[in-house]
Amino acid sequence: MAFASNIPSTPADGNIKTVVVTTLADPSQPTVTELQAGTDISCYITLGGFAYTTSQATISDQRECSDQDYQRPGRKSVSDASVTVIDNTNSELAEEYNEAVTAMAEGTTGYIVRRRGLPAADDWAAEQMVTVIPVVFGEKQLVAQEENSVQRSQIPFFVTGEWYMENATVKAAGGAYASSIVGEAIVGKAVL
């Protein structure tokens, strides 16, 4: 392939969709139906308000026969996991426009599903690559008031199982079995 200095890029503004879903039959392959049943919090999240940092440790792989130290990929971990959202609590907007705070109430379990690269308003479709994170939400933290700002809250979340970083593929049809993430245990339910 020849060198190309004009490789196009995908704008990020307006191209991230985020939903909170209570159950997924297979987190590595969420269905369109399951994602449509979730709470869309995309327009509640403040710019830069989704914090989710993953890291991976290094395993030292030293050999007696070499004067070089090799490495292997080690355990993966998560830090700084939270979502900062518009919070309309106690305002005239609270009843109709506080879905994010309600969906992420302390102790609530489920999944955060995020899709990048397509307009947030676009519907879910088969074959889209998404990030899926099984979570339990923590206590809502009030963001300090600033001049010329809106009322916001930061909601921490804790990862309760295996996550998928843009390597889960949306499927068109639903499955026959669903799981709910409850703390660290998985409780299955038949779907009729």
Side-chain angles (χ1 to χ4, degrees):
M1 180 176 191
F3 177 77
S5 63
N6 59 345
I7 296 172
S9 59
T10 303
D13 290 347
N15 286 335
I16 301 175
K17 185 178 191 84
T18 305
V19 296
V20 174
V21 181
T22 55
T23 59
L24 295 175
D26 180 355
S28 71
Q29 298 180 353
T31 67
V32 170
T33 303
E34 290 170 330
L35 298 175
Q36 288 172 336
T39 302
D40 191 335
I41 62 169
S42 305
C43 290
Y44 287 96
I45 300 173
T46 61
L47 185 61
F50 190 84
Y52 181 69
T53 303
T54 59
S55 62
Q56 188 165 13
T58 302
I59 297 172
S60 177
D61 188 5
Q62 298 173 325
R63 309 292 174 100
E64 194 173 76
C65 65
S66 176
D67 62 357
Q68 296 179 349
D69 290 338
Y70 308 136
Q71 296 177 331
R72 298 187 54 113
R75 297 183 69 84
K76 298 174 185 176
S77 62
V78 174
S79 61
D80 301 323
S82 67
V83 184
T84 302
V85 296
I86 295 168
D87 183 350
N88 288 315
T89 299
N90 289 326
S91 78
E92 67 279 1
L93 304 171
E95 190 172 321
E96 189 174 354
Y97 297 107
N98 223 20
E99 293 172 304
V101 171
T102 301
M104 298 186 290
E106 183 177 5
T108 300
T109 59
Y111 301 85
I112 296 174
V113 181
R114 284 175 59 89
R115 180 193 71 198
R116 302 186 310 160
L118 294 169
D122 284 6
D123 290 332
W124 298 103
E127 302 307 315
Q128 294 174 346
M129 300 304 292
V130 294
T131 295
V132 178
I133 310 163
V135 300
V136 59
F137 294 101
E139 181 180 33
K140 176 174 84 170
Q141 300 164 1
L142 309 180
V143 174
Q145 179 182 341
E146 298 172 341
E147 185 176 356
N148 297 316
S149 69
V150 296
Q151 186 169 290
R152 296 165 290 151
S153 290
Q154 184 179 55
I155 301 171
F157 60 88
F158 305 90
V159 179
T160 60
E162 185 176 356
W163 64 85
Y164 301 87
M165 291 294 290
E166 287 189 337
N167 61 347
T169 306
V170 177
K171 296 298 177 192
Y177 188 83
S179 67
S180 296
I181 300 296
V182 180
E184 294 182 14
I186 298 178
V187 178
K189 294 186 255 188
V191 177
L192 303 176

